[in-house]
Amino acid sequence: MSRVLAISGSLRAASYHTQLLSCLQPLAPEGMHIALFPGLGDLPHFSEDLETDPPLPVRELWQAIAEADGLLIATPEYNGAIPGVLKNALDWASRPRGTSVLPGHAAMVLSASPGLFGGIRAQAQLREMFALLNVYVVGGPQVAIPAVHTRLNPTAEPEQRLTDPITRAMLTSLLHGLEEAIDHQAGRRLVKPLHHLQSQQAT
Ligand SMILES: Cc1cc2nc3c(=O)[nH]c(=O)nc-3n(C[C@H](O)[C@H](O)[C@H](O)COP(=O)(O)O)c2cc1C
């Protein structure tokens, strides 16, 4: 049984990325449970001044990442880069320095766009950032979905929502890669007592 935390980098109600994440559970290997993180829009703008006594949404993010065996990030591309809300969340997740809950996690990333290039620049940025944060990202297949609006039926049940068989096959393969990466990373997570979480929860 593996627990995967899925994060959509879009706050838009009809986000393609959130829709894509909602299609993935039926494609996942047996025993993998995917849960969507709901609180990206609640995070305050990152400031080091808030680190010592972070607001509840930040502690919830840390807790959700700490409890997950793997991460699954779907990022839009905004002006050639990852959206600010996602960068903000990853900046929070990377802190406090030395006790971040991120290092050692296995992760899978995907991107999509109504345009021709599938958000590949944002995805490349995300991969580079995760390398710096010691998060192990599954290498391939690299899933950057162009013309995403032609590959989803938003009104269908999750099992039928993803209408493009090639995208389905690639995402299925990627999810199996994530499962292998989670197994591979098991024991490599820097298991530290999460004093900063525990003490905050007590208050
Ligand atoms: C501020 C902004 C900048 C964008 N820049 C890009 C871009 O650089 N490349 C691209 O492929 N799409 C770009 N788009 C279009 C997004 O790919 C599109 O809005 C997509 O649907 C966003 O993901 P979502 O559906 O999950 O919200 C941009 C959209 C916005 C709002």
Side-chain angles (χ1 to χ4, degrees), residues 8 10 12 14-18 76-81 112-115 118-119 121:
S8 169
S10 173
R12 200 166 70 87
S15 159
Y16 293 120
H17 292 82
T18 309
E77 181 171 287
Y78 283 178
N79 301 312
S113 169
R121 289 171 295 188

Side-chain angles (χ1 to χ4, degrees), residues 7-173:
I7 299 178
S8 169
S10 173
L11 301 183
R12 200 166 70 87
S15 159
Y16 293 120
H17 292 82
T18 309
Q19 286 184 55
L20 282 166
L21 292 175
S22 74
C23 299
L24 294 184
Q25 185 63 64
L27 308 181
E30 202 180 327
M32 178 185 279
H33 176 70
I34 301 172
L36 187 67
F37 181 69
L40 210 67
D42 299 328
L43 294 168
H45 292 158
F46 176 77
S47 164
E48 286 183 75
D49 292 342
L50 300 179
E51 272 185 75
T52 43
D53 186 16
L56 182 63
V58 173
R59 284 182 270 135
E60 286 174 343
L61 175 71
W62 288 344
Q63 188 77 43
I65 294 173
E67 287 175 0
D69 300 304
L71 306 174
L72 200 173
I73 316 288
T75 184
E77 181 171 287
Y78 283 178
N79 301 312
I82 68 170
V85 286
L86 182 57
K87 178 69 165 60
N88 187 52
L90 294 176
D91 287 342
W92 272 119
S94 72
R95 306 296 288 187
R97 188 173 182 180
T99 53
S100 162
V101 288
L102 275 177
H105 270 90
M108 155 181 164
V109 301
L110 66 97
S111 59
S113 169
L116 286 181
F117 302 112
I120 195 70
R121 289 171 295 188
Q123 186 179 147
Q125 247 185 18
L126 189 56
R127 288 173 182 270
E128 195 177 331
M129 198 180 305
F130 275 150
L132 285 173
L133 295 170
N134 294 311
V135 172
Y136 174 76
V137 181
V138 178
Q142 204 164 343
V143 181
I145 306 168
V148 63
H149 55 293
T150 66
R151 302 174 202 276
L152 284 168
N153 176 2
T155 57
E157 292 298 312
E159 289 78 7
Q160 279 87 41
R161 200 167 293 160
L162 189 54
T163 49
D164 177 34
I166 296 174
T167 309
R168 282 178 78 89
M170 288 176 80
L171 287 170
T172 304
S173 169

